[in-house]
Amino acid sequence: MSIGNTFYQHKDIHKKTWRHPDGRVSNEIDYVCIAKRWRSSLLDVKVHRGADVGSDHHLLIAKFRLRLKRLPPTPQRARPFDVMKLKQPTVATQFQLELRNRFQAPADCEEAEDQWTQFRTTLTKSAEAVVGR
């Protein structure tokens, strides 16, 4: 923790937070404590003597400026396909025709992972063309 009152140059009248009831003695006894991480965000600390709070302490005002780092946007997941359209007979036959036209037998792929990737992309492209998202 760091104390924020004593770092700023002000007249004594703007630093003293407590005044004795006789009016002759005043001290700086109230402080603003802030974590060291946020210390650079603290711009100014002053005493506001005009506040009517019914106490022998004056109101302490601190000004901050938060400088927050902008986070990169998270990648959006693709919306799911509208599979309810496949219940319509015309859309279903159109999807089957599109799938037959795009599908090529994965003979040139030796690994199962390559075959799966090719099958998935073919199915996805066909669904995007006919059904939509």
Side-chain angles (χ1 to χ4, degrees):
M1 296 297 280
S2 173
I3 297 174
N5 291 39
T6 58
F7 294 126
Y8 302 101
Q9 292 181 350
H10 292 293
K11 294 180 181 178
D12 282 342
I13 200 166
H14 295 294
K15 288 182 181 180
K16 306 299 182 180
T17 59
W18 175 78
R19 185 173 176 200
H20 192 273
D22 68 2
R24 285 187 251 147
V25 179
S26 60
N27 286 320
E28 183 178 359
I29 59 173
D30 299 319
Y31 298 98
V32 172
C33 292
I34 188 168
K36 287 185 180 181
R37 176 181 180 178
W38 299 105
R39 175 68 182 94
S40 63
S41 298
L42 189 61
L43 296 178
D44 192 17
V45 178
K46 277 188 177 181
V47 173
H48 187 66
R49 295 177 299 131
D52 186 21
V53 292
S55 173
D56 54 352
H57 292 266
H58 297 297
L59 187 63
L60 195 61
I61 298 174
K63 290 184 182 180
F64 291 92
R65 181 186 320 149
L66 288 179
R67 288 170 269 173
L68 302 174
K69 183 170 51 170
R70 181 178 294 182
L71 295 176
T74 57
Q76 295 290 328
R77 189 177 142 200
R79 293 184 314 185
F81 293 107
D82 190 9
V83 293
M84 296 304 288
K85 286 184 180 178
L86 289 175
K87 290 186 178 184
Q88 300 171 2
T90 57
V91 176
T93 56
Q94 190 179 11
F95 177 68
Q96 290 174 357
L97 181 63
E98 180 75 23
L99 193 58
R100 282 188 198 132
N101 291 340
R102 286 184 185 256
F103 191 82
Q104 298 169 358
D108 57 339
C109 300
E110 291 134 14
E111 294 185 23
E113 186 66 31
D114 294 336
Q115 290 176 357
W116 165 248
T117 303
Q118 186 177 3
F119 177 73
R120 184 180 64 207
T121 56
T122 302
L123 193 64
T124 304
K125 288 180 182 179
S126 299
E128 283 177 352
V130 177
V131 178
R133 292 192 181 264

